[in-house]
Amino acid sequence: MLAALRSSVSRTAPTSRQHARSLASSSRRTSPANSQTVVAQPPTVANSSLLRTDRAEALWTPGLRWQDEEQVGVGFPKGRQQDREIKETDLADVEAGGRATEKLNMYQAIRSALQIVMQKDPTSMVFGEDVSFGGVFRCTMGLADQYGSERVFNTPLTEQGIAGFGIGMAAMGHTAVAEMHRPKGGAIDLFSRWDRFADYISVSLTCGPQRLDTPLRLSISNSAKYRFRSGGMFDCGSLTFRSPCSAVGHGGLYHSQSPEAYFLQASGVKIVVPRSPIQAKGLLLGELESARTAYSQHALIRVIAAAIRDPNPVLFLEPKILYRSAIEQVPVSDYELPLGSAEVLQEGKDITIISYGPPLYTIETALHHMRHPSEDLQKLIPQDMRGLSVELIDLRTIVPYDIETVVKSVNKTGRCMIVHEAPSAGSVASELAAEIQQRCFLRLEAPVKRLTGWDTPFGLAYEKFYLPDQIRILDGIIETMRY
Amino acid sequence: MLRTLASKATLTRSARRAFSTTARRTHTPLSALSTTPEFSNSVRQGTIPAFRLLGPDGALTDDAAAQSWVEKAKEVDGDKLKRMLEVMTMMPILDQILYSSQRQGRISFYMTAYGEEGTVVGSAAAWENDDEVFAQYREVGVLLWRGYPLSSLMAQVFSTKNDAATKGRQMPVHYGSREHHFHTISSPLGTQLPQAAGAAYALKRTPGRENSCVVCYAGEGATSEGDFHAALNMASVLGGPLVYVVRLLSLSRGVQNNGFAISTPVSQQYAGDGIAARGPGYGIDTVRVDGNDPLAVYLACKEARRRAVEGQKPVLVEAMTYRVGHHSTSDDSSAYRSPTAVESVKKLDSPLHRLRKYLESLPTPLWSTEHETKVKDTSKRAILKEFSKAEKDKKPPLGYMFGDVFAPRTGDGEASELERPQREQKEELKRLIEKWGETDGWKKELEKFDGGRAAVDKW
């Protein structure tokens, strides 16, 4: 255990450097939860300060690294690692040669990432159900026209087939990006109240996780073991499964699931959940242009093979509620964000809250209510909690998760709450809670609180009381603080 | 059934019709019109005949309709046929040695290929050596055909430090070799089928490999998995050079429906006309072949490969054969089928016997009893030599247990290549071994691994 702790300390160093930079750069921003400014309206995804709507903020995203040709060449990193990190010159005006950003929502950011991969990696292919016309969530808009139907194509409606197909492609050294979801009978209706654009018409109720039920789950587990079982001789590291996930307001049993925990035991596949457009693009690129063993003898493939990013199969879960609602300034260039590293969104000293994906925004709202309780809440939120200092962590990568950042934080605060939409039993929260009590036992002043969906299927009419909403989050904080 | 097998010794009309469909269709084919609802299936229409050139006595068919294929058979390179029979002769020897060593507890598991030598070697000979093979687990003949070293084979079976295919991680017979373009076998049935479809699509897009093909083997049991449906449909729709070879463990000579997945007879596996009847439904060129006729298997596979590569599309070959051996060493097949029936098949329908008789009967005989004795002796000696070497070898270093879960970490200055969970758990095992390594339970076990205890200390 000591050895483990020692190693975790050494690994924390680069992460904390990133945080320092993040905090220094974000000093101009109004810190969301600990701010003393009175905000009239509670924040929502639409005006969340977790989103970087300012160009400079976007460029200072923690961990962001450029992957441009002019900087590193395609696949050949020249010079030292730090050359790829953000410099002051990147922040200069675009006219003066600084980096450009563009206002994108999450599906556009994903599209931007795919576009970069298609452009740089001639072996890359994007396929799945209905990706050809642009995808039911618009993530692949225009790609088929640009790169041809051989590289962007529809598949028959068979998830286990898509998964196996992708494994086979990746085993041959090609980059395979498989998308998992399908429209329900092509029904088009008005998007729910969750969408900010009241007049927005979109294909509704489409989703991935219902497609992640067995035997697709088995197929993905199969991809996880590919390298191990062949003694490292074969792998499918250049494979990425993209799948929409989590609740959407009216998704019922099969359009709301968060299946990440199913894969916790399938050692060998990485799992990523982005919370915003910058995250989505950076994390997707971070693992898409992955290193792979050049199986083909063709020189072109060997060139790409030298681009060391992430050489493992990755399950990329995209919270579909955020596809349109989360909007940020996203760097136009090719950049990546590291996998396996959590982001401290807000520093604090009283309690650590760990989450990923959409609940982060709910937590932000809850923290607002804690500071500025409305009349109905005032009698339930104790006075001494109004100024609570909360450390908020976005886990970002579920496998392998960044335990170092978590442990460092909990050792500081002594209290911890983990929030996610998926049910509790055998969940990410359970896994983290167990690790935290092992590593932070002497520092814990309250039991680790798991605030999750209930251990039931996701009932349609009950969504409000199924998900950890702001009330449950407030209660969780109070109970943990009062323990 | 007897009649169809005996008479039509050529690619049949139904198979030809199937061959004419293409992988890339621009429209939905119109069907003929009918004023009455006609319910039909392949069973009612009669069974698809199997392509056969050599009779049970090894004589080439004299069926007039088969002339063009008889000509093709006569043109097959003699050295190739000879080598086929040599590999086929070697297989039962290998099987027998490893099977009985399992019975003696010297290896943990084994699966023989008795009775299927003709299908596996006949097809292997039809591929180019760099065709990508996705196998199930009874296709060691393909590796032997490609010159896979016996030392590597034994290393895998015994999980030694020389086992490059699985580093001691998988059960015996789960071979794999990048050098031989043989993708590592895994136990879950049918998962290789859609993977092969993806590989074929990738191959289609790989410059410089325009003339390569993907080959995917499966037993008939695996065709009941959803993956089979997914794979054939995807391969057909998306294209790519691919030959599916399904070993249909069934014999149509007097013993009806006598194939088995494990104990499940084919009558409980499907009710249609085998697997071949399904191919055309997916728009896939399909042929049924007598799997105990290595010559027919070879020619059908050669033709299937040609169609797959030229059309950049999948082709399905169904080989009717019979699993003469038990399913695996964990199985006693006499519990569900009669040993007498098995014996009669062995005698009547041996692929080895057929090819041997054929080669002996050629104007310039390519085979003789002397040559056979020589092949058997040489094979047996070579196998036993590698067998006893591998048996004495150490297991791989214990540290391999944690490797290759994720790709090795590089470039971030970490001391370990492993991701955190594996790194920490390896350290925990090291601590345990430092403390408990000298106990009876662990000491002896540790000595079996390459480098033993000392290697663990260096972790």
Side-chain angles (χ1 to χ4, degrees), chain A residues 4 7 264 267 401 431 435 438-439, chain B residues 401-402 405 418-433 459:
Chain A
S7 77
L264 278 175
S267 309
Y401 54 83
E431 166 68 12
E435 284 288 317
Q438 264 198 324
R439 291 168 198 251
Chain B
M401 180 162 69
F402 296 98
V405 175
L418 304 177
E419 293 286 346
R420 179 195 44 86
Q422 290 74 32
R423 186 179 61 240
E424 287 179 0
Q425 287 163 19
K426 194 176 167 186
E427 278 170 19
E428 173 68 359
L429 181 59
K430 183 184 179 184
R431 180 190 71 79
L432 286 164
I433 287 172
W459 285 1

PDB file of all heavy atoms in Angstrom, chain A residues 4 7 264 267 401 431 435 438-439, chain B residues 401-402 405 418-433 459:
ATOM      1  N   ALA A   4       2.183   1.822  -3.263  1.00  0.00           N
ATOM      2  CA  ALA A   4       1.135   2.357  -4.129  1.00  0.00           C
ATOM      3  C   ALA A   4       0.967   3.854  -3.905  1.00  0.00           C
ATOM      4  O   ALA A   4       0.838   4.644  -4.832  1.00  0.00           O
ATOM      5  CB  ALA A   4      -0.170   1.639  -3.848  1.00  0.00           C
ATOM      6  N   SER A   7       3.826   5.802  -5.386  1.00  0.00           N
ATOM      7  CA  SER A   7       3.734   5.958  -6.846  1.00  0.00           C
ATOM      8  C   SER A   7       2.631   6.953  -7.194  1.00  0.00           C
ATOM      9  O   SER A   7       2.723   7.681  -8.156  1.00  0.00           O
ATOM     10  CB  SER A   7       3.490   4.606  -7.503  1.00  0.00           C
ATOM     11  OG  SER A   7       2.145   4.244  -7.342  1.00  0.00           O
ATOM     12  N   LEU A 264     -16.215  -1.902 -16.250  1.00  0.00           N
ATOM     13  CA  LEU A 264     -15.147  -1.746 -15.257  1.00  0.00           C
ATOM     14  C   LEU A 264     -14.321  -3.024 -15.147  1.00  0.00           C
ATOM     15  O   LEU A 264     -13.126  -2.973 -14.908  1.00  0.00           O
ATOM     16  CB  LEU A 264     -15.747  -1.414 -13.886  1.00  0.00           C
ATOM     17  CG  LEU A 264     -16.121   0.044 -13.641  1.00  0.00           C
ATOM     18  CD1 LEU A 264     -16.804   0.189 -12.298  1.00  0.00           C
ATOM     19  CD2 LEU A 264     -14.892   0.931 -13.686  1.00  0.00           C
ATOM     20  N   SER A 267     -11.188  -5.475 -18.197  1.00  0.00           N
ATOM     21  CA  SER A 267      -9.872  -4.844 -18.288  1.00  0.00           C
ATOM     22  C   SER A 267      -9.374  -4.835 -19.724  1.00  0.00           C
ATOM     23  O   SER A 267      -9.372  -5.868 -20.383  1.00  0.00           O
ATOM     24  CB  SER A 267      -8.867  -5.602 -17.424  1.00  0.00           C
ATOM     25  OG  SER A 267      -9.380  -5.780 -16.136  1.00  0.00           O
ATOM     26  N   TYR A 401      -9.379   5.290 -14.163  1.00  0.00           N
ATOM     27  CA  TYR A 401      -9.702   6.579 -13.538  1.00  0.00           C
ATOM     28  C   TYR A 401      -8.505   7.143 -12.776  1.00  0.00           C
ATOM     29  O   TYR A 401      -7.596   6.409 -12.390  1.00  0.00           O
ATOM     30  CB  TYR A 401     -10.935   6.475 -12.646  1.00  0.00           C
ATOM     31  CG  TYR A 401     -10.848   5.393 -11.604  1.00  0.00           C
ATOM     32  CD1 TYR A 401     -10.186   5.606 -10.402  1.00  0.00           C
ATOM     33  CD2 TYR A 401     -11.441   4.152 -11.821  1.00  0.00           C
ATOM     34  CE1 TYR A 401     -10.108   4.610  -9.450  1.00  0.00           C
ATOM     35  CE2 TYR A 401     -11.369   3.155 -10.885  1.00  0.00           C
ATOM     36  CZ  TYR A 401     -10.699   3.384  -9.697  1.00  0.00           C
ATOM     37  OH  TYR A 401     -10.605   2.389  -8.777  1.00  0.00           O
ATOM     38  N   GLU A 431     -16.964   1.623  -6.802  1.00  0.00           N
ATOM     39  CA  GLU A 431     -15.543   1.372  -7.020  1.00  0.00           C
ATOM     40  C   GLU A 431     -14.698   2.484  -6.391  1.00  0.00           C
ATOM     41  O   GLU A 431     -13.756   2.226  -5.650  1.00  0.00           O
ATOM     42  CB  GLU A 431     -15.288   1.275  -8.533  1.00  0.00           C
ATOM     43  CG  GLU A 431     -13.856   1.338  -8.973  1.00  0.00           C
ATOM     44  CD  GLU A 431     -13.047   0.124  -8.560  1.00  0.00           C
ATOM     45  OE1 GLU A 431     -13.644  -0.869  -8.135  1.00  0.00           O
ATOM     46  OE2 GLU A 431     -11.805   0.200  -8.648  1.00  0.00           O
ATOM     47  N   GLU A 435     -12.092   2.447  -3.079  1.00  0.00           N
ATOM     48  CA  GLU A 435     -10.696   2.871  -3.203  1.00  0.00           C
ATOM     49  C   GLU A 435     -10.392   4.028  -2.248  1.00  0.00           C
ATOM     50  O   GLU A 435      -9.322   4.083  -1.646  1.00  0.00           O
ATOM     51  CB  GLU A 435     -10.406   3.311  -4.646  1.00  0.00           C
ATOM     52  CG  GLU A 435     -10.262   2.161  -5.624  1.00  0.00           C
ATOM     53  CD  GLU A 435      -8.974   1.374  -5.442  1.00  0.00           C
ATOM     54  OE1 GLU A 435      -7.910   1.999  -5.258  1.00  0.00           O
ATOM     55  OE2 GLU A 435      -9.037   0.130  -5.474  1.00  0.00           O
ATOM     56  N   GLN A 438      -9.973   2.961   1.290  1.00  0.00           N
ATOM     57  CA  GLN A 438      -8.693   2.276   1.470  1.00  0.00           C
ATOM     58  C   GLN A 438      -7.543   3.251   1.556  1.00  0.00           C
ATOM     59  O   GLN A 438      -6.606   3.065   2.324  1.00  0.00           O
ATOM     60  CB  GLN A 438      -8.441   1.357   0.275  1.00  0.00           C
ATOM     61  CG  GLN A 438      -8.862  -0.069   0.514  1.00  0.00           C
ATOM     62  CD  GLN A 438      -8.200  -1.001  -0.477  1.00  0.00           C
ATOM     63  OE1 GLN A 438      -8.001  -0.651  -1.633  1.00  0.00           O
ATOM     64  NE2 GLN A 438      -7.874  -2.193  -0.035  1.00  0.00           N
ATOM     65  N   ARG A 439      -7.612   4.270   0.724  1.00  0.00           N
ATOM     66  CA  ARG A 439      -6.455   5.169   0.603  1.00  0.00           C
ATOM     67  C   ARG A 439      -6.541   6.383   1.497  1.00  0.00           C
ATOM     68  O   ARG A 439      -5.538   7.046   1.726  1.00  0.00           O
ATOM     69  CB  ARG A 439      -6.317   5.616  -0.860  1.00  0.00           C
ATOM     70  CG  ARG A 439      -5.901   4.476  -1.782  1.00  0.00           C
ATOM     71  CD  ARG A 439      -6.072   4.881  -3.217  1.00  0.00           C
ATOM     72  NE  ARG A 439      -6.089   3.720  -4.104  1.00  0.00           N
ATOM     73  CZ  ARG A 439      -5.113   3.400  -4.947  1.00  0.00           C
ATOM     74  NH1 ARG A 439      -4.060   4.155  -5.036  1.00  0.00           N
ATOM     75  NH2 ARG A 439      -5.198   2.324  -5.693  1.00  0.00           N
TER      76      ARG A 439
ATOM     77  N   MET B 401       1.652 -11.947 -16.353  1.00  0.00           N
ATOM     78  CA  MET B 401       0.241 -11.995 -15.988  1.00  0.00           C
ATOM     79  C   MET B 401      -0.400 -10.605 -16.063  1.00  0.00           C
ATOM     80  O   MET B 401      -1.583 -10.464 -16.353  1.00  0.00           O
ATOM     81  CB  MET B 401       0.112 -12.552 -14.565  1.00  0.00           C
ATOM     82  CG  MET B 401      -1.313 -12.647 -14.060  1.00  0.00           C
ATOM     83  SD  MET B 401      -1.486 -13.735 -12.648  1.00  0.00           S
ATOM     84  CE  MET B 401      -0.655 -12.825 -11.374  1.00  0.00           C
ATOM     85  N   PHE B 402       0.400  -9.577 -15.809  1.00  0.00           N
ATOM     86  CA  PHE B 402      -0.151  -8.214 -15.744  1.00  0.00           C
ATOM     87  C   PHE B 402       0.021  -7.425 -17.044  1.00  0.00           C
ATOM     88  O   PHE B 402      -0.520  -6.347 -17.185  1.00  0.00           O
ATOM     89  CB  PHE B 402       0.513  -7.436 -14.595  1.00  0.00           C
ATOM     90  CG  PHE B 402       0.214  -8.013 -13.240  1.00  0.00           C
ATOM     91  CD1 PHE B 402       1.104  -8.855 -12.601  1.00  0.00           C
ATOM     92  CD2 PHE B 402      -0.986  -7.714 -12.612  1.00  0.00           C
ATOM     93  CE1 PHE B 402       0.820  -9.394 -11.352  1.00  0.00           C
ATOM     94  CE2 PHE B 402      -1.288  -8.240 -11.373  1.00  0.00           C
ATOM     95  CZ  PHE B 402      -0.370  -9.089 -10.737  1.00  0.00           C
ATOM     96  N   VAL B 405      -2.592  -5.881 -20.851  1.00  0.00           N
ATOM     97  CA  VAL B 405      -4.014  -5.586 -20.612  1.00  0.00           C
ATOM     98  C   VAL B 405      -4.341  -4.313 -21.394  1.00  0.00           C
ATOM     99  O   VAL B 405      -5.304  -4.244 -22.152  1.00  0.00           O
ATOM    100  CB  VAL B 405      -4.293  -5.386 -19.111  1.00  0.00           C
ATOM    101  CG1 VAL B 405      -5.732  -4.962 -18.892  1.00  0.00           C
ATOM    102  CG2 VAL B 405      -3.982  -6.656 -18.351  1.00  0.00           C
ATOM    103  N   LEU B 418       3.006  -0.328 -17.192  1.00  0.00           N
ATOM    104  CA  LEU B 418       1.626  -0.723 -16.909  1.00  0.00           C
ATOM    105  C   LEU B 418       0.763   0.468 -16.496  1.00  0.00           C
ATOM    106  O   LEU B 418       1.254   1.448 -15.951  1.00  0.00           O
ATOM    107  CB  LEU B 418       1.604  -1.759 -15.782  1.00  0.00           C
ATOM    108  CG  LEU B 418       2.436  -3.019 -16.007  1.00  0.00           C
ATOM    109  CD1 LEU B 418       2.374  -3.907 -14.779  1.00  0.00           C
ATOM    110  CD2 LEU B 418       1.962  -3.769 -17.235  1.00  0.00           C
ATOM    111  N   GLU B 419      -0.526   0.346 -16.756  1.00  0.00           N
ATOM    112  CA  GLU B 419      -1.473   1.333 -16.235  1.00  0.00           C
ATOM    113  C   GLU B 419      -1.564   1.142 -14.716  1.00  0.00           C
ATOM    114  O   GLU B 419      -1.231   0.084 -14.192  1.00  0.00           O
ATOM    115  CB  GLU B 419      -2.856   1.139 -16.874  1.00  0.00           C
ATOM    116  CG  GLU B 419      -2.917   1.451 -18.363  1.00  0.00           C
ATOM    117  CD  GLU B 419      -2.867   2.948 -18.688  1.00  0.00           C
ATOM    118  OE1 GLU B 419      -3.048   3.768 -17.760  1.00  0.00           O
ATOM    119  OE2 GLU B 419      -2.626   3.290 -19.856  1.00  0.00           O
ATOM    120  N   ARG B 420      -2.069   2.167 -14.042  1.00  0.00           N
ATOM    121  CA  ARG B 420      -2.042   2.150 -12.587  1.00  0.00           C
ATOM    122  C   ARG B 420      -2.600   0.886 -11.920  1.00  0.00           C
ATOM    123  O   ARG B 420      -1.918   0.290 -11.084  1.00  0.00           O
ATOM    124  CB  ARG B 420      -2.761   3.374 -12.008  1.00  0.00           C
ATOM    125  CG  ARG B 420      -2.774   3.360 -10.487  1.00  0.00           C
ATOM    126  CD  ARG B 420      -3.756   4.323  -9.876  1.00  0.00           C
ATOM    127  NE  ARG B 420      -5.046   4.336 -10.508  1.00  0.00           N
ATOM    128  CZ  ARG B 420      -6.049   3.515 -10.205  1.00  0.00           C
ATOM    129  NH1 ARG B 420      -5.880   2.591  -9.279  1.00  0.00           N
ATOM    130  NH2 ARG B 420      -7.198   3.594 -10.824  1.00  0.00           N
ATOM    131  N   PRO B 421      -3.841   0.457 -12.270  1.00  0.00           N
ATOM    132  CA  PRO B 421      -4.386  -0.689 -11.539  1.00  0.00           C
ATOM    133  C   PRO B 421      -3.480  -1.916 -11.633  1.00  0.00           C
ATOM    134  O   PRO B 421      -3.212  -2.577 -10.629  1.00  0.00           O
ATOM    135  CB  PRO B 421      -5.735  -0.940 -12.224  1.00  0.00           C
ATOM    136  CG  PRO B 421      -6.080   0.328 -12.902  1.00  0.00           C
ATOM    137  CD  PRO B 421      -4.789   0.960 -13.283  1.00  0.00           C
ATOM    138  N   GLN B 422      -3.009  -2.193 -12.855  1.00  0.00           N
ATOM    139  CA  GLN B 422      -2.156  -3.371 -13.026  1.00  0.00           C
ATOM    140  C   GLN B 422      -0.816  -3.182 -12.313  1.00  0.00           C
ATOM    141  O   GLN B 422      -0.281  -4.116 -11.730  1.00  0.00           O
ATOM    142  CB  GLN B 422      -1.926  -3.649 -14.515  1.00  0.00           C
ATOM    143  CG  GLN B 422      -3.155  -4.161 -15.254  1.00  0.00           C
ATOM    144  CD  GLN B 422      -4.193  -3.080 -15.511  1.00  0.00           C
ATOM    145  OE1 GLN B 422      -3.859  -1.924 -15.695  1.00  0.00           O
ATOM    146  NE2 GLN B 422      -5.469  -3.447 -15.503  1.00  0.00           N
ATOM    147  N   ARG B 423      -0.299  -1.942 -12.356  1.00  0.00           N
ATOM    148  CA  ARG B 423       0.994  -1.682 -11.709  1.00  0.00           C
ATOM    149  C   ARG B 423       0.882  -1.884 -10.198  1.00  0.00           C
ATOM    150  O   ARG B 423       1.703  -2.554  -9.579  1.00  0.00           O
ATOM    151  CB  ARG B 423       1.445  -0.256 -12.027  1.00  0.00           C
ATOM    152  CG  ARG B 423       2.830   0.061 -11.515  1.00  0.00           C
ATOM    153  CD  ARG B 423       3.255   1.470 -11.872  1.00  0.00           C
ATOM    154  NE  ARG B 423       2.382   2.470 -11.298  1.00  0.00           N
ATOM    155  CZ  ARG B 423       1.684   3.354 -11.986  1.00  0.00           C
ATOM    156  NH1 ARG B 423       1.742   3.361 -13.299  1.00  0.00           N
ATOM    157  NH2 ARG B 423       0.911   4.227 -11.385  1.00  0.00           N
ATOM    158  N   GLU B 424      -0.184  -1.325  -9.639  1.00  0.00           N
ATOM    159  CA  GLU B 424      -0.363  -1.453  -8.180  1.00  0.00           C
ATOM    160  C   GLU B 424      -0.594  -2.899  -7.768  1.00  0.00           C
ATOM    161  O   GLU B 424      -0.089  -3.355  -6.745  1.00  0.00           O
ATOM    162  CB  GLU B 424      -1.553  -0.598  -7.734  1.00  0.00           C
ATOM    163  CG  GLU B 424      -1.255   0.881  -7.755  1.00  0.00           C
ATOM    164  CD  GLU B 424      -2.459   1.711  -7.331  1.00  0.00           C
ATOM    165  OE1 GLU B 424      -3.517   1.124  -7.018  1.00  0.00           O
ATOM    166  OE2 GLU B 424      -2.339   2.934  -7.306  1.00  0.00           O
ATOM    167  N   GLN B 425      -1.367  -3.608  -8.576  1.00  0.00           N
ATOM    168  CA  GLN B 425      -1.678  -4.979  -8.194  1.00  0.00           C
ATOM    169  C   GLN B 425      -0.461  -5.881  -8.353  1.00  0.00           C
ATOM    170  O   GLN B 425      -0.276  -6.830  -7.596  1.00  0.00           O
ATOM    171  CB  GLN B 425      -2.881  -5.475  -9.001  1.00  0.00           C
ATOM    172  CG  GLN B 425      -4.168  -4.802  -8.492  1.00  0.00           C
ATOM    173  CD  GLN B 425      -5.343  -4.892  -9.441  1.00  0.00           C
ATOM    174  OE1 GLN B 425      -5.365  -5.722 -10.341  1.00  0.00           O
ATOM    175  NE2 GLN B 425      -6.323  -4.031  -9.233  1.00  0.00           N
ATOM    176  N   LYS B 426       0.387  -5.539  -9.319  1.00  0.00           N
ATOM    177  CA  LYS B 426       1.638  -6.282  -9.462  1.00  0.00           C
ATOM    178  C   LYS B 426       2.528  -6.053  -8.238  1.00  0.00           C
ATOM    179  O   LYS B 426       3.149  -6.983  -7.727  1.00  0.00           O
ATOM    180  CB  LYS B 426       2.342  -5.819 -10.744  1.00  0.00           C
ATOM    181  CG  LYS B 426       3.470  -6.715 -11.194  1.00  0.00           C
ATOM    182  CD  LYS B 426       4.017  -6.224 -12.524  1.00  0.00           C
ATOM    183  CE  LYS B 426       5.320  -6.881 -12.858  1.00  0.00           C
ATOM    184  NZ  LYS B 426       5.939  -6.333 -14.066  1.00  0.00           N
ATOM    185  N   GLU B 427       2.561  -4.809  -7.773  1.00  0.00           N
ATOM    186  CA  GLU B 427       3.345  -4.506  -6.571  1.00  0.00           C
ATOM    187  C   GLU B 427       2.802  -5.245  -5.351  1.00  0.00           C
ATOM    188  O   GLU B 427       3.557  -5.715  -4.508  1.00  0.00           O
ATOM    189  CB  GLU B 427       3.333  -2.993  -6.306  1.00  0.00           C
ATOM    190  CG  GLU B 427       4.354  -2.246  -7.135  1.00  0.00           C
ATOM    191  CD  GLU B 427       4.168  -0.734  -7.049  1.00  0.00           C
ATOM    192  OE1 GLU B 427       3.512  -0.272  -6.106  1.00  0.00           O
ATOM    193  OE2 GLU B 427       4.675  -0.031  -7.949  1.00  0.00           O
ATOM    194  N   GLU B 428       1.477  -5.348  -5.307  1.00  0.00           N
ATOM    195  CA  GLU B 428       0.854  -6.062  -4.193  1.00  0.00           C
ATOM    196  C   GLU B 428       1.239  -7.546  -4.232  1.00  0.00           C
ATOM    197  O   GLU B 428       1.539  -8.142  -3.197  1.00  0.00           O
ATOM    198  CB  GLU B 428      -0.666  -5.881  -4.266  1.00  0.00           C
ATOM    199  CG  GLU B 428      -1.476  -6.699  -3.282  1.00  0.00           C
ATOM    200  CD  GLU B 428      -1.303  -6.298  -1.825  1.00  0.00           C
ATOM    201  OE1 GLU B 428      -0.515  -5.373  -1.544  1.00  0.00           O
ATOM    202  OE2 GLU B 428      -1.928  -6.929  -0.957  1.00  0.00           O
ATOM    203  N   LEU B 429       1.261  -8.121  -5.429  1.00  0.00           N
ATOM    204  CA  LEU B 429       1.649  -9.535  -5.546  1.00  0.00           C
ATOM    205  C   LEU B 429       3.117  -9.701  -5.149  1.00  0.00           C
ATOM    206  O   LEU B 429       3.485 -10.676  -4.501  1.00  0.00           O
ATOM    207  CB  LEU B 429       1.403 -10.052  -6.971  1.00  0.00           C
ATOM    208  CG  LEU B 429       1.759 -11.532  -7.189  1.00  0.00           C
ATOM    209  CD1 LEU B 429       0.963 -12.444  -6.251  1.00  0.00           C
ATOM    210  CD2 LEU B 429       1.504 -11.947  -8.631  1.00  0.00           C
ATOM    211  N   LYS B 430       3.926  -8.714  -5.500  1.00  0.00           N
ATOM    212  CA  LYS B 430       5.340  -8.776  -5.127  1.00  0.00           C
ATOM    213  C   LYS B 430       5.480  -8.791  -3.600  1.00  0.00           C
ATOM    214  O   LYS B 430       6.229  -9.582  -3.037  1.00  0.00           O
ATOM    215  CB  LYS B 430       6.080  -7.574  -5.715  1.00  0.00           C
ATOM    216  CG  LYS B 430       7.568  -7.606  -5.438  1.00  0.00           C
ATOM    217  CD  LYS B 430       8.252  -6.363  -5.950  1.00  0.00           C
ATOM    218  CE  LYS B 430       9.736  -6.436  -5.613  1.00  0.00           C
ATOM    219  NZ  LYS B 430      10.438  -5.223  -6.002  1.00  0.00           N
ATOM    220  N   ARG B 431       4.714  -7.921  -2.963  1.00  0.00           N
ATOM    221  CA  ARG B 431       4.754  -7.869  -1.500  1.00  0.00           C
ATOM    222  C   ARG B 431       4.357  -9.224  -0.908  1.00  0.00           C
ATOM    223  O   ARG B 431       5.000  -9.747  -0.003  1.00  0.00           O
ATOM    224  CB  ARG B 431       3.794  -6.782  -0.992  1.00  0.00           C
ATOM    225  CG  ARG B 431       3.759  -6.639   0.528  1.00  0.00           C
ATOM    226  CD  ARG B 431       2.631  -5.742   1.012  1.00  0.00           C
ATOM    227  NE  ARG B 431       1.298  -6.329   0.874  1.00  0.00           N
ATOM    228  CZ  ARG B 431       0.775  -7.235   1.713  1.00  0.00           C
ATOM    229  NH1 ARG B 431       1.477  -7.646   2.749  1.00  0.00           N
ATOM    230  NH2 ARG B 431      -0.438  -7.713   1.514  1.00  0.00           N
ATOM    231  N   LEU B 432       3.300  -9.798  -1.467  1.00  0.00           N
ATOM    232  CA  LEU B 432       2.819 -11.085  -0.967  1.00  0.00           C
ATOM    233  C   LEU B 432       3.872 -12.165  -1.146  1.00  0.00           C
ATOM    234  O   LEU B 432       4.083 -12.995  -0.266  1.00  0.00           O
ATOM    235  CB  LEU B 432       1.535 -11.479  -1.707  1.00  0.00           C
ATOM    236  CG  LEU B 432       0.288 -10.697  -1.297  1.00  0.00           C
ATOM    237  CD1 LEU B 432      -0.817 -10.871  -2.325  1.00  0.00           C
ATOM    238  CD2 LEU B 432      -0.187 -11.151   0.074  1.00  0.00           C
ATOM    239  N   ILE B 433       4.538 -12.128  -2.320  1.00  0.00           N
ATOM    240  CA  ILE B 433       5.538 -13.165  -2.574  1.00  0.00           C
ATOM    241  C   ILE B 433       6.758 -12.970  -1.672  1.00  0.00           C
ATOM    242  O   ILE B 433       7.337 -13.930  -1.181  1.00  0.00           O
ATOM    243  CB  ILE B 433       5.907 -13.190  -4.076  1.00  0.00           C
ATOM    244  CG1 ILE B 433       4.736 -13.794  -4.867  1.00  0.00           C
ATOM    245  CG2 ILE B 433       7.181 -13.988  -4.323  1.00  0.00           C
ATOM    246  CD1 ILE B 433       4.843 -13.712  -6.363  1.00  0.00           C
ATOM    247  N   TRP B 459      10.910  -6.939  -9.862  1.00  0.00           N
ATOM    248  CA  TRP B 459       9.776  -6.149 -10.363  1.00  0.00           C
ATOM    249  C   TRP B 459       9.896  -4.701  -9.890  1.00  0.00           C
ATOM    250  O   TRP B 459      10.248  -4.430  -8.753  1.00  0.00           O
ATOM    251  CB  TRP B 459       8.446  -6.719  -9.854  1.00  0.00           C
ATOM    252  CG  TRP B 459       8.021  -7.969 -10.552  1.00  0.00           C
ATOM    253  CD1 TRP B 459       8.676  -8.633 -11.542  1.00  0.00           C
ATOM    254  CD2 TRP B 459       6.842  -8.729 -10.262  1.00  0.00           C
ATOM    255  NE1 TRP B 459       7.977  -9.760 -11.886  1.00  0.00           N
ATOM    256  CE2 TRP B 459       6.852  -9.841 -11.129  1.00  0.00           C
ATOM    257  CE3 TRP B 459       5.788  -8.589  -9.356  1.00  0.00           C
ATOM    258  CZ2 TRP B 459       5.849 -10.803 -11.110  1.00  0.00           C
ATOM    259  CZ3 TRP B 459       4.798  -9.535  -9.339  1.00  0.00           C
ATOM    260  CH2 TRP B 459       4.829 -10.640 -10.212  1.00  0.00           C
TER     261      TRP B 459
END
